[in-house]
Amino acid sequence: MRFLANENFPLSSVFLLRSSGHDVSAIIQDSPGATDEEILSRAVDEQRIILTFVRDYGELIYHLRKPSPPGLVYFRFEPTTPTEPAEYLLQLLGQQDISLEKFTVAERSVIRQRPLP
């Protein structure tokens, strides 16, 4: 899959996802300091699913009606290790009933999803 890791997404998780065969661009590596709107626009242009710990994207997409990326995963927990977000995501990808082409709120014990506009 094609992902865009927000600046707050750990590089160790980016590397783990890449080593698992995923195409991951990391804001921390190529666009540090980019705004949420710039990241959202890039995800739309490059058709990438955003990986983030920032909750502001819901506001941009649903209330301000900014263009939607193909998907967004909002991790709503504090990782205990730098690779935990990638490990969590890889487990999600292994579940047949989960599609990341939605707005996904990922908590340790609960996954909530809603369609993107």
Side-chain angles (χ1 to χ4, degrees), residues 59-96:
E59 175 74 16
L60 292 172
I61 294 168
Y62 293 104
H63 295 110
L64 298 178
R65 304 278 189 219
K66 299 293 181 182
S68 298
L72 186 140
V73 180
Y74 165 42
F75 294 86
R76 197 171 173 202
F77 60 85
E78 188 70 32
T80 56
T81 68
T83 58
E84 183 184 13
E87 292 162 356
Y88 186 95
L89 187 64
L90 291 170
Q91 286 180 341
L92 280 183
L93 291 170
Q95 296 180 25
Q96 291 183 348

Side-chain angles (χ1 to χ4, degrees), residues 27-69:
I27 295 298
I28 192 73
Q29 289 182 309
D30 56 36
S31 304
T35 67
D36 293 341
E37 286 192 26
E38 291 169 334
I39 293 165
L40 184 59
S41 178
R42 178 176 169 185
V44 171
D45 291 346
E46 295 180 10
Q47 289 297 287
R48 292 182 180 276
I49 296 170
I50 296 174
L51 306 175
T52 188
F53 286 88
V54 175
R55 66 183 216 169
D56 297 345
Y57 289 98
E59 175 74 16
L60 292 172
I61 294 168
Y62 293 104
H63 295 110
L64 298 178
R65 304 278 189 219
K66 299 293 181 182
S68 298

